[in-house]
Amino acid sequence: MKTNSCLYISMTGMTEALGESQVVQYIVELAKENHIFLLSFEKPTDTQKFTHIKNKLQQAGITWRYFTYSNRFGLMSTAWQISRALMLLK
């Protein structure tokens, strides 16, 4: 029975190699005993890769929400993205 809830926020996208190999593997294991809500910032990727990750997270029972990652304005972009994430959490 899943008793705990966990929010995982990652600026690294799950469709990136690091996100898939490190974060996804970690939270899939956590999801076996916990409710996981994942919020990530995704760089544009091909549809097949995105669908693969989406299916993997759904099969593990992980709720995934994402924003499009942007670094167009440097630090201001990061601040804006974090603000958007915080607004989602309210």
Side-chain angles (χ1 to χ4, degrees):
M1 181 170 86
K2 296 182 179 185
T3 57
N4 298 314
S5 295
C6 178
L7 168 64
Y8 196 104
I9 301 173
S10 176
M11 292 299 287
T12 301
M14 299 306 103
T15 56
E16 296 177 57
L18 180 63
E20 183 178 7
S21 68
Q22 300 290 317
V23 178
V24 172
Q25 298 305 319
Y26 176 68
I27 63 173
V28 164
E29 285 299 313
L30 285 178
K32 291 178 180 176
E33 297 182 15
N34 303 281
H35 296 284
I36 305 293
F37 183 91
L38 170 63
L39 177 63
S40 64
F41 294 85
E42 301 294 325
K43 294 178 181 173
T45 187
D46 64 72
T47 305
Q48 185 176 7
K49 177 83 168 176
F50 182 84
T51 302
H52 167 72
I53 296 298
K54 181 180 175 183
N55 290 338
K56 188 170 189 170
L57 294 172
Q58 282 179 341
Q59 288 174 355
I62 297 168
T63 303
W64 181 33
R65 299 290 182 264
Y66 59 89
F67 293 109
T68 301
Y69 176 82
S70 172
N71 194 24
R72 185 174 176 189
F73 301 108
L75 188 57
M76 291 301 292
S77 292
T78 301
W80 170 245
Q81 291 171 119
I82 291 171
S83 296
R84 289 176 61 197
L86 293 175
M87 286 187 283
L88 175 71
L89 299 176
K90 287 186 177 186

